[in-house]
Amino acid sequence: MPEPIVQITRREEFSAAHRLHDPALSAAENRRLYGPCNTDHGHNYAFEVTVSGPVPRSGMVLDLNALRSILREEIVSIVDHQHLNRDVPFLAGVIPTAENVAVAFWERIAPRLAPFEGVRLVSLRVYESRDNFVEYRGERG
Ligand code: NI
C-alpha cells in the first residue's frame, strides 16, 4: 500500500508595522486607494504554513520542530518588531499587503523544504487580524 499523504500546519506570530503606499501614485491617489492603511500602523500578525507529504515509518511527515526552526529563521527573526516597508530586505520594493507578504514568505520557505523528500509546501496563510487572512497556494496566472 502506498503511504498516506497527510498535511501538517505550523502557526507563528509576530508584530510589525507597515504602510500601504505605491510610490508610483500621488499622495492623493494613495489615500484614495489605501485609505487609513496609507499611514504607518501595526498588526499582530500570524501566519500558518501547511506542508504535505507521505507518512513514513517514523510517523512524521516532517518534524514540527524542524518546521518551526525554518519559520523562525526565515521569517519571524527578520520581521518581528520591524517596519515591513523599511526594515525587511526581502520585502524591499514590495507593497506589504497581506497578499504580497504571503507570496514573499512562500518564496523564502519553499526552498528550505526542498531537502525533505516528498514534502511539499501547499498553503501559506497570513492573518492581519483574527478575522482577515489571505492564503497563497503557489499558483500563478
Ligand atoms: Ni495594515
Side-chain angles (χ1 to χ4, degrees):
M1 279 262 280
E3 289 163 336
I5 305 291
V6 174
Q7 295 190 353
I8 62 172
T9 299
R10 170 79 193 171
R11 177 185 175 93
E12 292 285 341
E13 297 177 354
F14 65 93
S15 299
H18 79 163
R19 172 192 190 200
L20 303 184
H21 180 85
D22 184 344
L25 301 178
S26 70
E29 287 170 321
N30 270 297
R31 274 195 302 277
R32 196 160 48 239
L33 182 59
Y34 295 120
C37 296
N38 186 226
T39 55
D40 281 332
H41 62 281
H43 295 281
N44 293 316
Y45 286 92
F47 65 106
E48 294 173 353
V49 175
T50 300
V51 306
S52 75
V55 181
R57 168 88 191 164
S58 71
M60 297 188 294
V61 170
L62 175 63
D63 182 346
L64 274 167
N65 286 318
L67 183 56
R68 181 183 63 189
S69 295
I70 290 169
L71 301 186
R72 293 191 175 172
E73 284 170 31
E74 295 295 331
I75 309 291
V76 178
S77 66
I78 300 169
V79 298
D80 193 30
H81 288 80
Q82 301 300 310
H83 194 300
L84 301 183
N85 300 69
R86 298 197 282 262
D87 304 331
V88 177
F90 73 79
L91 291 173
V94 173
I95 299 169
T97 60
E99 292 90 328
N100 283 339
V101 167
V103 174
F105 285 7
W106 176 288
E107 300 298 341
R108 286 187 71 79
I109 294 164
R112 294 290 307 272
L113 297 173
F116 300 96
E117 205 180 326
V119 171
R120 204 167 58 83
L121 182 53
V122 295
S123 164
L124 201 153
R125 286 182 173 185
V126 172
Y127 293 76
E128 282 192 344
S129 68
R130 198 184 55 191
D131 297 327
N132 296 326
F133 70 89
V134 307
E135 179 171 20
Y136 183 50
R137 300 178 68 86
E139 296 172 346
R140 301 230 166 221

